[in-house]
Amino acid sequence: MSRFLSSEARCLFPYTPGEQPRDQQYIKLNTNESPFPPSPEVLKAVTQTETGRLYLYSDPTCAALNGAIAERYGLQSENVITGNGSDEILAFAFRAFCGKGRGAAFADITYGFYEAQAALFGLEALRVPLREDFTLNIEDYINLSATVVIANPNAPTGMTVPVTDIRRLLEHDPNRVVIVDEAYVDFGAESCVPLIQEFENLLVTQTMSKSRSLAGGRIGFALGARELIEDLNRVKYSFNPYNVNRLSLLAGAAAVKDEDYFQACCRAVQDNRTWTMKALEVRGFTVLPSSANFIFAKSDRISGGELYRKLKENGILVRWFDRDRIRDFVRVTIGSREQMVVLIDTIDRIGLRNEK
């Protein structure tokens, strides 16, 4: 740190992204990217002609992309805001719906970005412990006055909260915003989007990084009541009006419209997830239930850190969190079937076959 860094910045808790190595070829199962390329419609949309227009600013209203998203989810454009990844949308939401006297409440084991945002904006952070089996009990949030943030499915566990529980939370206190982060919802979980028509205090965030294969395009969005979206736009236009670039606007709209490709990719990931979970369980691993494009697993015969290191030595990257309660686990992104076969074969080679 330099001597010029402010005291406020010294107190930040920066989020640590997954490794993005450049020095070696790895099978990357550490950052929950899709194993599939974007929809062919995306490649058609991002033409040389459009690339030649990069000297012009993008549309700050993101009208075409918002319209495509709204149509897909049965909403109006006024119910949609898009951003430079869902992380930016979440940052807008933390700034808009938290502040003096109203902090943010989230699980103790969840997406690390929530902690980072709370620190960035100087917010009180209420960390609510998951239960011993890593489930989230909605009763722990019912009487909190803070803005509630729930990743559903959760990361890194992959486990879900029933939508009926989210409904109870919304009904209990209509004066509190509930943010449901559905980054992984497309891989088998139930979405809270249908509740938007009923509850003005619900904000649902999603991303195109996972199920629509656009991690490099950085497109996220939020769905909610018109007034909530207006609040988020107030923050956006105070920070970065041209927040989504021209090519990503085109790519996102094309990806949303190609429903068949989207569904096919999600089904393939779900099939590969089922196959991988069974293969690990046969080898004595404990695998948490997952509705995401990753699994959270551990073995009693090797520590999480050692498994991470041995896999990396053999050209496979997974994610390991050196934290209490989850130190024995690794998070494994679900890739193509070929990638998952290599993973299991490698696990056998490092001495964890010992099938039941």
Side-chain angles (χ1 to χ4, degrees), residues 249-267:
L249 289 174
L250 295 167
V256 169
K257 293 175 183 177
D258 194 348
E259 187 71 16
D260 290 343
Y261 186 82
F262 161 75
Q263 294 290 350
C265 290
C266 289
R267 284 194 301 270

Side-chain angles (χ1 to χ4, degrees), residues 22-335:
R22 297 289 183 267
D23 60 337
Q24 183 179 342
Q25 285 294 110
Y26 287 94
I27 294 178
K28 281 187 82 275
L29 304 178
N30 66 325
T31 50
N32 299 340
E33 296 147 317
S34 172
F36 309 114
S39 159
E41 297 304 313
V42 170
L43 304 183
K44 293 178 185 178
V46 184
T47 63
Q48 185 173 353
T49 299
E50 293 297 338
T51 303
R53 293 175 177 155
L54 284 175
Y55 64 94
L56 299 171
Y57 280 114
S58 58
D59 174 16
T61 70
C62 305
L65 178 53
N66 286 356
I69 293 170
E71 181 178 358
R72 200 280 181 180
Y73 290 94
L75 300 168
Q76 302 298 314
S77 292
E78 65 187 15
N79 301 121
V80 183
I81 181 174
T82 47
N84 187 354
S86 61
D87 288 343
E88 183 181 60
I89 296 294
L90 287 165
F92 292 165
F94 271 73
R95 180 69 289 173
F97 307 123
C98 303
K100 186 176 181 180
R102 184 175 290 275
F106 44 83
D108 65 331
I109 299 172
T110 192
Y111 183 30
F113 193 74
Y114 309 151
E115 183 89 21
Q117 286 300 312
L120 178 63
F121 295 121
L123 305 172
E124 180 184 4
L126 285 75
R127 301 164 191 84
V128 183
L130 295 178
R131 296 302 169 94
E132 191 65 27
D133 61 357
F134 298 109
T135 56
L136 184 150
N137 190 316
I138 213 68
E139 294 295 333
D140 297 334
Y141 294 81
I142 285 290
N143 293 314
L144 299 180
S145 61
T147 296
V148 175
V149 187
I150 296 177
N152 199 33
N154 193 21
T157 66
M159 299 173 70
T160 59
V161 178
V163 171
T164 52
D165 283 356
I166 304 292
R167 173 184 286 278
R168 289 179 52 224
L169 195 60
L170 293 163
E171 290 174 338
H172 183 79
D173 186 355
N175 298 313
R176 169 188 57 194
V177 172
V178 175
I179 303 168
V180 182
D181 180 358
E182 294 188 343
Y184 303 101
V185 73
D186 296 323
F187 301 104
E190 183 181 2
S191 175
C192 288
V193 170
L195 299 182
I196 288 172
Q197 305 286 11
E198 300 180 51
F199 297 99
E200 64 180 6
N201 58 328
L202 170 64
L203 186 75
V204 177
T205 64
Q206 293 193 12
T207 178
M208 297 193 191
S209 295
K210 322 298 181 183
S211 57
R212 297 189 188 273
S213 305
L214 288 174
R218 310 306 304 128
I219 307 169
F221 57 96
L223 309 171
R226 174 178 57 83
E227 292 81 4
L228 289 186
I229 301 304
E230 288 176 351
D231 294 341
L232 294 178
N233 273 311
R234 182 179 182 86
V235 175
K236 166 188 167 176
Y237 283 97
S238 300
F239 174 67
N240 185 17
Y242 303 101
N243 62 329
V244 184
N245 71 74
R246 294 181 66 90
L247 301 185
S248 290
L249 289 174
L250 295 167
V256 169
K257 293 175 183 177
D258 194 348
E259 187 71 16
D260 290 343
Y261 186 82
F262 161 75
Q263 294 290 350
C265 290
C266 289
R267 284 194 301 270
V269 169
Q270 289 175 275
D271 289 344
N272 292 341
R273 182 181 68 207
T274 299
W275 183 90
T276 306
M277 291 175 73
K278 290 180 178 177
L280 289 174
E281 288 168 349
V282 163
R283 287 158 175 79
F285 278 75
T286 297
V287 186
L288 298 187
S290 175
S291 296
N293 69 334
F294 59 84
I295 54 177
F296 209 43
K298 70 172 183 176
S299 169
D300 292 337
R301 289 173 287 151
I302 189 171
S303 70
E306 184 65 13
L307 178 56
Y308 155 76
R309 286 185 286 271
K310 285 186 175 294
L311 288 173
K312 186 174 182 179
E313 290 169 2
N314 283 273
I316 299 175
L317 289 179
V318 297
R319 194 79 191 267
W320 174 60
F321 301 90
D322 188 10
R323 293 180 51 192
D324 290 343
R325 298 186 66 189
I326 58 173
R327 193 168 283 113
D328 290 336
F329 286 82
V330 293
R331 192 192 70 190
V332 182
T333 301
I334 301 300

